[in-house]
Amino acid sequence: MVSVSRFALCLLLGGTATSVIALSTGAMAQEAFDGGIIREIRVEGSQRIEGATVQSYLTVRPGDNFDPDKIDQSLKSLFATGLFADVSIRREGGVMLVQVVENPIINRIAFEGNKRIKTEDINPEVQLRPRTVYTRTRVQNDVERIQELYRRKGRFAARIEPKIVQLEQNRVDLIFEIEEGQMTGVQAINFVNNNVFDDDELREIMITKESRWWRFLSSNDNYDPERLRYDQEQVRRFYLRNGYADFKVLTSVAELTPDREEFFITMTVDEGKRYKFGKIEIQSEIPDIDVTPLYEAINAYSGEWYNGDKIEESITALTNRLGDLQYAFIDIDPLLERNQEDQTINLVFELKESPRVFVERVDIVGNYNTLDKVIRREMLLVEGDPFSVSKVKRSEQRIKDLGYFLDSGVEVKTEEGSSRDQSVITVEVEEQPTGEIQLGAGYSSTDGALLDFSIRQRNLLGKGQDLRLSTLLSSRSFEVDLGFTEPYFLDRDLAAGVDLFRVVRDNRDTISYDLESTGVVLRAGYPLSEKLRQRISYSLVQNKIDNIYFGSSLFLQDQLGTTITSSVESQLLYDERDSKIEPTSGFYGLWSVEFAGVGGDTRYLRNRITAGQYWEPFEEVVLGLTTEAGYIWGMGKDLRINDRFFIGGDTLRGFEIGGIGPRNVPDPNNPENSDALGGTIFSRASLELTTKLGLPDELGVKAHAFYDAGTLTAAKETPGVGDVFRDSNKVRMSAGVGVSWKSPFGPIRLDLAYPIAKEPYDQTETLKFSFGTRF
């Protein structure tokens, strides 16, 4: 028997084992394989793999000459398959023996120690599968993939140790033992070469934050390479906004501490010179277009500091202006010319030639549940219309406002149609769940502990219909409400709906009686313009007053019993606020008129007007002024107490609900033992300043300072025996401060108000606390 020689071959193909074919000298190897014919090739050691399969990978066959180079290539070929842990070739006379040790087969793959990332999220990252061949290289690749997954989750200290359990029939169980480690925070963020803006100013721009104890509810202080790249762009744009047109981020280095728990981030910058805008011009290649009106769209002016955002805003405004003139595919190039001597930049907006465009087709994709017509009716453009960019943008916002699709999943694209003067508008949407089941819990100083439950489908059967059922239970009230809305009744922009409700309130702590209301409301609303909307409704309500305190005024005792109210109401709403939830600018006004007397037992005419204005005098400081006034006329009948106005609580802080206005005060020395009677004329105003407390934005803590004023008067009741009515049209005023927190458990607000103008019989409330959440 002769062993292979001429070379010493050490391979780690497959990474699991090493095969060595070695003799003492190269001459002996050459002699061993030189000369003679291979009469037979014999394979030994194979278990799962057929010998013929092994021979198919060889570069020699029976009948070939013994050739050291070809045998060397055969050895490499066998290792390259990844099927074998070890391979050796030797010669016995005219027989070439191929000895193989097969790699094991994976029986199963398991993960141990993973708590922060679920197994079903790790599995897609792993390429090895049961019943595939185990190799160390493949395992190491999978380890790297799992580690990368943990890095994306902010856990750079994660360690993955692969282990195998040997089984019979050359099978193994592969187990990845995972030590997840702590979230990898950011210990410090430093800047180099920044002379104009200090480190604190630049850190404030970044989303990535330094690790601090108060950021335990945020993940922004965990290192994320993608977020850091975004932050580099934010810093660059910040400098461009402030005139530094040549600014560059030279390097951005994240260094992991030796304990692998935190990063040091160092960003080296080159600020460059600061420029001002020089001459600003518009040059057009479009024939027969007057560029003079287009200058109004430019948001940059000669002599002011260069601002990259203003250039982008100007391009957008110019594109919209030209888009409204049917130039849908206009190309606008901003040309910059730097003047180093006076440090100015001349700006030229170059308009490329483009034809007028019409809408050829509107396509809608991605709506697997919502009907096409529900989306199309929000489009302000249809086939054949002159193209308008502003209408495209407003259409996109109208579709987002439906709430049926993800905001990030709604995109209206415009592409060239069958010719250059035709456009195809494609509306891409990504559906989101529109069914809601909500359970809420909270506490209010007005209603005490409360619990509410609601179930709602905002896009019933994909038709855009809204069906909801809600209930609220507190220590002082019980409410249930069933409502249905058809937003496009009779295929017109007419929102029609119906509400059925029942309310039971214990008012004895404030106005000395209990109230039960059961009713139905029919309503319809339609737009008069983009910002103006009209709503008309009809209500039929049964009101029952009982459980009046013994010893209450004769007036209240006369209210005992059940009445039917049949009324119609008209509301006119004008709203131009930038947000309906947290407005920072804009105005809104609401005027409502309600007439009761279309049948029923009560008759009155109620007028109410509400208005609000919001400003942002300084960055992140919002000033809001809201005003409201109302008048109700009994039209020859005495007004029921439940139809009157009551002021206090949320409507006039510093006073209880029903805390001001006409009251029955039989004992001036004990004004607490009195009844609120309500009023027919009221007015109130509230001025509130909202700002941050200097804490990080992610905490969601804001401070409030407010001044409230209001009056309620003109009850016009005749006192009965023992009744002592008090009424004054003097203005009550209060001032106070508050703090609000968008906590993980829901919004929390605490207000401290002090009445600075009141009547002796008014009921005050200094501290008001509210808390609630939905889950």
Side-chain angles (χ1 to χ4, degrees), residues 148 151-152 156 186 189 191 205-209 220 222-238 247-249 251-254 265-267:
E148 179 60 29
R151 292 189 190 106
R152 293 200 298 267
F156 285 77
V186 177
I189 302 174
F191 294 85
I205 301 164
M206 300 173 62
I207 296 179
T208 303
K209 303 297 182 184
N220 289 341
N222 298 326
Y223 175 70
D224 185 338
E226 293 297 326
R227 187 161 56 207
L228 183 58
R229 279 190 283 271
Y230 176 80
D231 285 333
Q232 293 179 45
E233 179 62 18
Q234 291 298 99
V235 172
R236 188 186 72 86
R237 294 178 67 90
F238 174 74
F247 173 82
K248 295 177 182 178
V249 176
T251 60
S252 181
V253 179
I265 296 176
T266 305
M267 197 176 295

Side-chain angles (χ1 to χ4, degrees), residues 48-49 53 57 78-85 101-104 133-135:
R48 301 182 314 274
I49 304 171
T53 303
Y57 294 113
L78 288 172
F79 270 113
T81 64
L83 299 173
F84 308 105
V101 177
E102 296 178 356
N103 275 323
V133 176
Y134 168 93
T135 70

